[in-house]
Each structure stands twice: as structure tokens, then as C-alpha cells.
Amino acid sequence: MVTPAVRRKAAVHLVTGHQVSQRRACRVLGLGRSSVRYRSRREPDGLTRERLLTLAAERRRFGYRRLTVLLRREGLRVNHKRVYRLYREEGLAVRRRGGRKRALGARLAPMVYERPHQAWALDFASDSLACGRRIRFLVVIDVVTKLNLLSIADTSISGHRVVRELSRLVEVHGKPGRIISDNGTEFTSNAVLGWCQERCVDWCYIRPGKPVENAYAESFIGRLRDEFLNETLFLSLTQARAELAAWREDYNHVRPHGALGWRTPAEHAARWCPVDLLDKPAGLPTTPQGQQTAIFFSSDVIDRAGVSSHVRHQPPRLY
């Protein structure tokens, strides 16, 4: 008998089962009478429990911490301990298989990135349609803001397609300071190597068999597979593209990210520059003549105060 609830039950059992007074039962158990007579004044959990079950059904791979953030966004005054209690009572915990720990040698210290567009991480994921045809997903992540800059789905993605998509991203966001990827044939093709030489982009390849060196993209691929690919049945490539676009919008603007203080990647990116310039190029500012302009934020012009020296000292280039 450790918890107060269990000791109160024991006192009630002595009173009802052995016909002893409450005073004597408390003296035998070493329990205060005020503790036995205590009645909980906790607010009912009906609304919180109902919303928790609804959100857990919609976001089946979310844990109680991320669900707590979503509940607070809806205006419910709850703390993580209360949500965890309800989470346990409803049996919503998601089991994960842990891998066996292995001894590792010395690792090189990874670089620390502090500003947006200092580094982009690229990787591929694969899945299949209901008919069995394989489809591939190419994703691009900003290492600092965790913003999903690009997510495309197709039956085949070549090195030339990678170059075209990266060129489009550079036109919108500016040239990154570094691009990190594995040694896949698409990333080591002549098209990619020629594009890097032409654009003077620093492309860093991880060592073969060391995916941890591209942990940013690997982590995102894990979330993509756990929360989207494993939860969705694709009937056609068109549906896969539409579902992927909707999930990307939800990831960037709705889903709270634990590494960012439970802010969304778009909210975190807004600390350095407007979200519409990062993720929605259609909303670009206009000149007095009505022409659309785009401000390109790169790693060498964005300072820690969140103000671009490019904006302060140079006129914006026409988009």
C-alpha cells in the first residue's frame, strides 16, 4: 500500500468488511482521517478526454507531448501530466521496437548550423501504389528551420529531375551554403556534378554506410514514413501527389516540432524571414510599378538579429 488511493481503499475495506470504526482503521493503517474523507475536486475530464481521443484517432502516430500542444492550441488549459494520465488510461501509447545498441568508434564532430539556408539535406523514400507499382519521393529539408522545402512523388526521379527541382528552389530561396546527401546514383550523376560546378554549390556526400551523417533528412524520412506513408493507401500517382502536398502543408504549418520548442517549422522560420517568402512564393512583395520582386536570403547575408543585410543595403532583384 503505497499510494493514498490504495490506502483509502484498505481503510474502507476494514470499516465495511471487519465492522471497525473509521478512527481505529486509520490508526491501524497509520493513515490520517482527513485523507480517508478526502473527496477529489478535480475538474471533470470529459471534454479533454473526448478531444484527446479525437486527435489521437486523426494523428495516430503522435505521442502525448505533441497532442498536448494541439490541445493547448484549441484553448484547453491542460498540462502534460494530465494529458499523460488520460493518454495512459485510454491505452493510446504507440509501441516502438528498439534496436540493439552497438559499440561505435570515434565520430567526427558535426558542423553546427545557426541560420536558414546554411545547409539543405536531400534524400529519397520509396513506397508502392495499390497495384504494386513502385513510386519514389524526393524531399529537401532546411537543416536549421526543419522546413520541408520540397516534396515530390513520381515513378522515377533522375538526376536531371533533381537538378531542375533544385534550380527552382534556388530561384525562390537563394543559393544554400551547403547541400548534404548520400551517394545515390541520382546525386552523383553528371547532371548534378555539372550543376554544382555551374552554380558554385558546395555539395557534401556522406560516407557510404553512414546515414547518421545525414541525420536531418533521415529523421524527416522517418516521420514521413511513420505518419504518412504507413497510414495512407495510394490508388494512383495523382492521389499520392495530392496527399503528399496536403501532408507537407500540415507538416510546415500545423504539426508542432519538438526540436523547435513545439513550434511549427514555418513559425520557426519566421524568426528570420517572412513565411510567404520561404514557402509561398506567390505572395511576393511588389514594386511601386506593380512588378513582383523576390528577396533571396542566403547564409552569408542573414544575421542573428533576423535582418538581412541584402535587404538593408541592396535593392531587391526582380523575380
Side-chain angles (χ1 to χ4, degrees):
M1 296 182 298
V2 179
T3 63
V6 175
R7 302 180 73 179
R8 281 196 293 268
K9 289 181 180 180
V12 172
H13 173 72
L14 289 179
V15 173
T16 58
H18 296 274
Q19 303 299 321
V20 299
S21 65
Q22 186 182 87
R23 186 188 302 271
R24 184 176 181 184
C26 293
R27 186 168 60 251
V28 171
L29 297 174
L31 182 65
R33 296 172 62 192
S34 60
S35 178
V36 176
R37 298 175 179 179
Y38 172 77
R39 294 295 178 266
S40 175
R41 292 177 291 181
R42 178 190 298 160
E43 297 180 1
D45 298 325
L47 179 59
T48 304
R49 190 185 299 269
E50 180 181 353
R51 286 303 302 155
L52 179 63
L53 290 173
T54 303
L55 291 175
E58 296 174 356
R59 314 273 187 164
R60 300 199 305 169
R61 302 300 299 180
F62 278 18
Y64 77 94
R65 293 183 179 87
R66 193 165 278 112
L67 292 174
T68 303
V69 176
L70 296 180
L71 290 173
R72 288 174 178 171
R73 285 183 182 177
E74 297 181 358
L76 295 177
R77 300 180 59 184
V78 294
N79 59 17
H80 67 281
K81 293 179 290 185
R82 182 180 182 185
V83 176
Y84 179 69
R85 175 174 58 83
L86 300 177
Y87 190 80
R88 289 288 301 272
E89 291 178 358
E90 297 296 334
L92 301 177
V94 180
R95 291 187 178 181
R96 293 189 178 184
R97 181 179 298 176
R100 181 172 62 89
K101 293 185 178 180
R102 296 174 175 85
L104 298 176
R107 296 178 180 175
L108 297 177
M111 293 190 62
V112 178
Y113 305 101
E114 298 180 348
R115 294 170 293 180
H117 304 306
Q118 275 190 309
W120 292 352
L122 281 69
D123 204 354
F124 280 102
S126 62
D127 205 345
S128 61
L129 302 177
C131 62
R133 188 176 185 181
R134 302 292 294 179
I135 56 176
R136 303 193 73 191
F137 300 86
L138 172 64
V139 299
V140 181
I141 304 298
D142 186 274
V143 169
V144 174
T145 64
K146 316 301 181 188
L147 202 68
N148 181 204
L149 302 176
L150 174 70
S151 292
I152 59 174
D154 211 330
T155 55
S156 177
I157 301 176
S158 64
H160 292 281
R161 177 71 180 280
V162 173
V163 167
R164 290 199 305 270
E165 298 295 340
L166 288 178
S167 299
R168 185 178 64 84
L169 285 181
V170 170
E171 291 178 358
V172 176
H173 304 293
K175 187 177 70 174
R178 170 174 295 181
I179 295 180
I180 307 171
S181 74
D182 56 22
N183 295 271
T185 55
E186 298 85 358
F187 299 141
T188 57
S189 63
N190 290 331
V192 172
L193 296 178
W195 181 82
C196 292
Q197 184 176 3
E198 177 185 353
R199 297 293 185 105
C200 298
V201 175
D202 182 16
W203 195 298
C204 298
Y205 296 98
I206 65 175
R207 290 176 295 172
K210 301 291 183 180
V212 70
E213 296 181 359
N214 194 17
Y216 307 101
E218 294 293 340
S219 176
F220 177 81
I221 290 294
R223 302 285 74 75
L224 175 71
R225 184 167 301 281
D226 188 38
E227 300 174 9
F228 175 64
L229 299 182
N230 292 346
E231 299 291 319
T232 310
L233 177 64
F234 302 117
L235 301 179
S236 65
L237 183 59
T238 303
Q239 180 213 355
R241 289 171 174 170
E243 295 279 356
L244 179 63
W247 186 86
R248 174 176 175 269
E249 182 73 13
D250 179 82
Y251 178 88
N252 285 339
H253 298 279
V254 179
R255 180 188 185 274
H257 202 296
L260 304 178
W262 301 112
R263 292 186 297 268
T264 64
E267 292 172 348
H268 189 67
R271 299 172 58 189
W272 284 276
C273 50
V275 176
D276 57 350
L277 290 179
L278 283 173
D279 204 30
K280 301 177 181 178
L284 296 173
T286 58
T287 62
Q289 291 78 16
Q291 296 175 311
Q292 283 190 331
T293 61
I295 301 172
F296 295 86
F297 293 87
S298 58
S299 60
D300 58 341
V301 297
I302 300 178
D303 55 22
R304 294 299 300 275
V307 181
S308 172
S309 59
H310 178 88
V311 178
R312 291 197 300 264
H313 304 299
Q314 300 181 18
R317 290 174 286 176
L318 293 181
Y319 178 69

